[in-house]
Amino acid sequence: VSGCESVSRLMVTAVIQTILPPTTSQANQTFCEIENPTIANLTASGTSILWYDSETSASPLASTDTLVDGEDYWATQTNALGCESSTRLVVTVTILNEVPPTTTETTQTFCEIEKATVANLSANGNSILWYDTETSTTPLNDTDALINGEDYWASQTGSNSCESVSRLKINVTIFSPLPPTTSASTQSFC
């Protein structure tokens, strides 16, 4: 009937989900530049974690986005009902960039009779690794024979365990002098 109120009432209970942000034991996370770290390398504990470039950004970052030195990244987690945490965890990123080794001899010369190897190459630095190309990921062995006219590339690993991205280039020259000659193959003496 119009204008009448029902005697029985429907009771509705509203539940507001409070989702906590993810957690981490490393609020400052450090990476080596040579690793090309991305959002996927950030660590936090939680479920369905999303990373953002600010505390208020509405668009999550892609897992393939490259990390930037000195930047803060903000994380949320999402529960099974699809509710995202309203507060965010902040993580600060440091990217370590190791410098390459140095030398005053970018061309290094050896005699063929020395049978020079990678161990004979010279550069100033710590934990030097030698490569056959600027982009190779497999270091040469110290016992590998040097090749005349070839370039060799050196990286340095610092005390922070990061290897340098840029490499020092050394060119190798190996001299092969001819044996002496004579017009008198038989020689007589008194």
Side-chain angles (χ1 to χ4, degrees):
V1 181
S2 159
C4 293
E5 189 175 323
S6 169
V7 176
S8 51
R9 303 201 176 203
L10 175 64
M11 185 168 148
V12 176
T13 304
V15 177
I16 297 176
Q17 295 263 331
T18 302
I19 309 302
L20 296 174
T23 60
T24 185
S25 60
Q26 298 176 310
N28 296 305
Q29 297 184 22
T30 302
F31 303 92
C32 297
E33 181 183 21
I34 198 167
E35 297 167 345
N36 297 315
T38 64
I39 294 296
N41 297 111
L42 292 171
T43 58
S45 299
T47 56
S48 301
I49 296 173
L50 296 174
W51 290 95
Y52 297 88
D53 62 1
S54 75
E55 189 173 14
T56 57
S57 175
S59 300
L61 297 166
S63 62
T64 56
D65 287 347
T66 302
L67 296 178
V68 177
D69 182 45
E71 289 296 316
D72 291 335
Y73 294 90
W74 304 81
T76 64
Q77 69 174 324
T78 306
N79 71 6
L81 298 174
C83 297
E84 191 173 349
S85 58
S86 59
T87 56
R88 295 179 177 181
L89 165 74
V90 63
V91 170
T92 302
V93 167
T94 301
I95 308 289
L96 300 175
N97 178 12
E98 187 62 44
V99 296
T102 60
T103 187
T104 57
E105 298 177 74
T106 56
T107 298
Q108 297 185 15
T109 305
F110 304 92
C111 294
E112 182 181 35
I113 199 166
E114 295 174 312
K115 298 187 185 324
T117 66
V118 169
N120 297 110
L121 292 170
S122 174
N124 302 314
N126 299 310
S127 302
I128 295 173
L129 295 174
W130 291 96
Y131 297 89
D132 59 357
T133 69
E134 187 175 15
T135 57
S136 176
T137 57
T138 305
L140 297 168
N141 294 317
D142 283 349
T143 56
D144 290 344
L146 296 180
I147 299 170
N148 183 44
E150 289 295 315
D151 293 330
Y152 293 88
W153 303 84
S155 71
Q156 170 175 224
T157 301
S159 59
N160 53 29
S161 299
C162 291
E163 185 177 352
S164 60
V165 172
S166 52
R167 295 179 179 172
L168 169 68
K169 178 182 171 185
I170 300 290
N171 182 266
V172 167
T173 301
I174 298 177
F175 284 115
S176 303
L178 296 173
T181 60
T182 181
S183 58
S185 58
T186 302
Q187 298 183 17
S188 301
F189 302 94
C190 294

